[in-house]
Amino acid sequence: MLEGIRVLACGARDAVRLCATLLERAGAAVERTASDSADYDVILVSSDFDDANVVARWKTSGSHMVCDITATGPQDSRAGRRWSDAQIQAMSGLMDTTGFAHGAPVRIGVPLTEISAALYAAAAIAAAVRVKRMRGIVQNIDVTLSGCAASALTTFLPAAFARRAVGRLGNRHPACAPWNAYRTRDGWILICTGTEEQWRKLKQEARVPQLDDARFASLAERVRHVDELDALVESWTTTLTTDDCTRICESIGVAAGPIVGVRDLADEPNFRMRHAQAARAMKAHGVDADTYRDVSIFETSALSDALPVAKRAVPCERGANAAPLAGVKVIEIGQYTTAPLVGKHLAALGAQVVKIEPPGGEAARAWSPGQGGTSYFFALNNTDKETIALDLKQESARAYLRTLLKDADVLVENLRPGALAKLGFTREALGAINPRLVYCSISGFGMTSAYPSRPAFDTVIQAMGGLMDLTRADGAPVKIGASGADILGGQAALFAILARLAAREENAGAFIEISMQDVAAWCALFAAGNNSARGQALACLDGHIWMEREVSDAERAQCSALPKAVAAVKLAGATPVMRVDELLQDGDFLADVLSAARDANGAFWPVLKAPYRLTKTPACVRAAPGAPQAVRLAPPAPARAPVPEDRPA
């Protein structure tokens, strides 16, 4: 996809190293040591760690695309300092959203902001390569860890917009119960119930008489009495092994999975099936600094082997100010986070994105809080899209979708594996409709999976991908507060799609497969093999500060008697742990991250800027989504009148 692109990766940040690995995976040639005679297309740097003067010369030369990954933007009041991933977690709100409700904030066990910056940088580079190949424009790219951290807060910012308190939930869900990590006879299991039917089946299997109590008769009551509910559920799970409990949940359609240790991934059935070579190496040699490189976060193949190769007429608008994806048409069939994240970034980069919603709209539209009948969460994830309502169970709606797909360039979806095929849109069928289509499927465990019938939520994937094993509060595994598996899976898909669109050759259609568990494991293995400095959150009068050094008892006592802003000044190396609602009073957040968009009715909505900046063809967030438009479909063919049976006279 990026064959022929030469990359120099010389920045000191983990994000540079990870981004280089991603570009290599997409076909680029990467060098880690500069050569005076080399003609690089892309130079990866981190100017807050590297020689800023050298970086400035590269940026102004006009002969290279320079991608500069830094902690904060150049206009940020904190610019230029060597902020670590953990410090960015603290100052961005990510740390305060991770951990148990009545405990201290918890550092996410993987360098989430570095990983996110690497993925967004790789995607932005692919977009810039496409612009250079098609229009000859060379430009620079800036990516900030702080912007990437803010982009991961879409489940928490809505409450802050509505001036509501934003707190930690641990492994629980704010609106569903039971939804938590529970001890078993030999480990932990993550169980998530999202419907009354799932709760009824789980209660029936558990056979704990107290679960029939009126306190748990409705969802609202279960959430209100969640402490008692969780204790009763755990009284059942502790009688079972993790494997037995998982099998029971899968048999009744309840999303569940074991909390897998990073070093146990080699024995995890789906990981072992999808990454046999990596699993064997881990069994033989353990996890080291390069183990993560043996795991691919996306797989590409032909859309359909049954069709002849068809040339892609690469769409493009030639104007100097045209966006990177001007002329590209995208169909999105997605909900919640993963596919919508992909769609909103493709739209920000200039693509026409048509989002297919079910009749009545995507369920997330109705989440609280919001305005005008649409949630802030939905708006944050669906900017700049055309939205239409289609009931794909109806043949007329499927026929309309086939019409949309005929001239589309990309189809991205995050339905359950096989769901689109059951509607008649197999890879072969899609290839027959449009042989040049790039089709990206995002799922929890992949299209080829050891768990073809197992439902997957973000929390389950965090558990089964090693992320929760590395993120612990007082020894107990805890999920990343943000929807880490969903977000990282969406970012991986975004990069894979953009790399395919940037390919030099006019490619035939392609199939891109994203398994969120693959992406989670890639992140966890990197973190396990590249240990970062530990630290601790210290309590203050009004919150916490984050320290990355040993703290004396006297300093701890001093900190507890001070507001966190004062403690951060008095204790060397301290960083205040910001709450999400506090970000809305932070000048840097308001200037560098937050923006406003209008919907079709003229109402203003708070939205987020893209965390990557292309200097000549920038990504732009412009419009909030409106209501899904109804489509006038052809009426069904009238039923034929029955033919009378011949009867003997």
Side-chain angles (χ1 to χ4, degrees), residues 588-629:
D588 292 316
F589 180 86
L590 296 175
D592 291 345
V593 175
L594 201 62
S595 185
R598 277 187 169 181
D599 64 19
N601 298 319
F604 284 98
W605 291 78
V607 294
L608 299 175
K609 298 176 184 176
Y612 47 87
R613 312 288 165 84
L614 286 78
T615 54
K616 296 181 180 178
T617 61
C620 297
V621 179
R622 304 173 185 85
Q629 299 300 306

Side-chain angles (χ1 to χ4, degrees), residues 102-448:
H102 303 296
V106 173
R107 182 184 77 97
I108 297 167
V110 299
L112 184 67
T113 68
E114 296 272 3
I115 294 169
S116 182
L119 286 159
Y120 276 131
I125 288 168
V129 166
R130 185 176 191 274
V131 172
K132 181 184 177 184
R133 283 178 167 172
M134 299 180 69
R135 293 183 235 158
I137 296 173
V138 177
Q139 59 189 313
N140 297 324
I141 302 161
D142 290 297
V143 180
T144 65
L145 272 64
S146 57
C148 294
S151 295
L153 293 172
T154 51
T155 53
F156 292 93
L157 282 168
F161 294 155
R163 302 181 185 278
R164 298 180 185 175
V166 181
R168 290 182 294 282
L169 296 170
N171 296 316
R172 287 173 172 165
H173 190 283
C176 296
W179 187 302
N180 208 340
Y182 303 95
R183 293 184 185 274
T184 64
R185 279 169 46 191
D186 57 354
W188 294 83
I189 187 170
L190 203 291
I191 298 177
C192 306
T193 60
T195 67
E196 287 298 317
E197 179 66 9
Q198 290 171 347
W199 161 243
R200 184 188 65 78
K201 290 182 177 180
L202 185 71
K203 181 175 64 172
Q204 183 176 341
E205 285 292 336
R207 299 176 184 174
V208 176
Q210 296 93 320
L211 291 177
D212 290 318
D213 191 274
R215 293 172 297 168
F216 314 125
S218 69
L219 177 58
E221 287 299 307
R222 292 197 297 277
V223 172
R224 185 173 297 114
H225 299 284
V226 68
D227 288 337
E228 301 100 304
L229 174 65
D230 280 345
L232 290 170
V233 171
E234 193 166 84
S235 73
W236 167 63
T237 61
T238 51
T239 67
L240 300 167
T241 66
T242 303
D243 285 346
D244 287 342
C245 195
T246 302
R247 278 194 291 270
I248 289 171
C249 289
E250 185 171 0
S251 71
I252 61 176
V254 170
I259 296 178
V260 179
V262 177
R263 287 168 173 80
D264 298 324
L265 282 169
D267 293 317
E268 201 287 314
N270 198 55
F271 181 90
R272 188 174 64 241
M273 185 188 81
R274 294 178 60 83
H275 306 284
Q277 181 178 344
R280 286 193 298 269
M282 290 168 62
K283 294 286 283 186
H285 309 293
V287 176
D288 61 26
D290 291 319
T291 300
Y292 77 101
R293 293 171 62 88
D294 294 331
V295 176
S296 174
I297 65 170
F298 64 90
E299 297 293 338
T300 60
S301 58
L303 179 60
S304 173
D305 295 332
L307 293 171
V309 172
K311 298 290 186 181
R312 293 188 74 236
V314 181
C316 177
E317 292 184 12
R318 296 285 178 179
N321 296 322
L325 298 185
V328 172
K329 180 178 176 181
V330 178
I331 307 300
E332 175 203 310
I333 308 176
Q335 56 185 340
Y336 305 121
T337 299
T338 49
L341 180 149
V342 176
K344 81 169 182 179
H345 283 286
L346 295 177
L349 289 164
Q352 175 197 7
V353 178
V354 181
K355 179 182 178 73
I356 310 296
E357 299 184 56
E362 180 185 321
R365 280 183 177 271
W367 290 2
S368 180
Q371 58 179 357
T374 299
S375 69
Y376 289 126
F377 173 86
F378 182 86
L380 286 169
N381 284 291
N382 291 283
T383 44
D384 301 304
K385 300 176 186 178
E386 302 172 24
T387 59
I388 63 175
L390 285 179
D391 182 1
L392 294 178
K393 296 178 182 177
Q394 305 299 319
E395 172 52 32
S396 57
R398 295 194 295 271
Y400 187 83
L401 176 58
R402 285 191 286 270
T403 301
L404 290 177
L405 290 169
K406 282 182 180 179
D407 65 347
D409 300 287
V410 177
L411 167 64
V412 58
E413 53 95 356
N414 67 333
L415 304 177
R416 185 177 295 193
L420 203 58
K422 288 180 180 178
L423 295 171
F425 296 95
T426 62
R427 288 168 59 179
E428 290 73 19
L430 290 170
I433 294 168
N434 182 352
R436 63 182 182 81
L437 184 70
V438 176
Y439 167 34
C440 179
S441 170
I442 311 170
S443 62
F445 301 107
M447 298 289 274
T448 304

Side-chain angles (χ1 to χ4, degrees), residues 539-595:
C540 301
L541 285 175
D542 57 349
H544 293 80
I545 58 171
W546 174 256
M547 297 291 292
E548 294 191 338
R549 62 173 176 82
E550 292 296 324
V551 178
S552 68
D553 291 340
E555 287 177 317
R556 192 182 301 275
Q558 179 187 22
C559 180
S560 65
L562 297 172
K564 61 185 178 184
V566 176
V569 173
K570 288 185 173 293
L571 276 70
T575 305
V577 178
M578 298 286 284
R579 299 191 312 271
V580 174
D581 59 290
E582 290 177 322
L583 296 176
L584 300 187
Q585 283 77 51
D586 180 80
D588 292 316
F589 180 86
L590 296 175
D592 291 345
V593 175
L594 201 62
S595 185

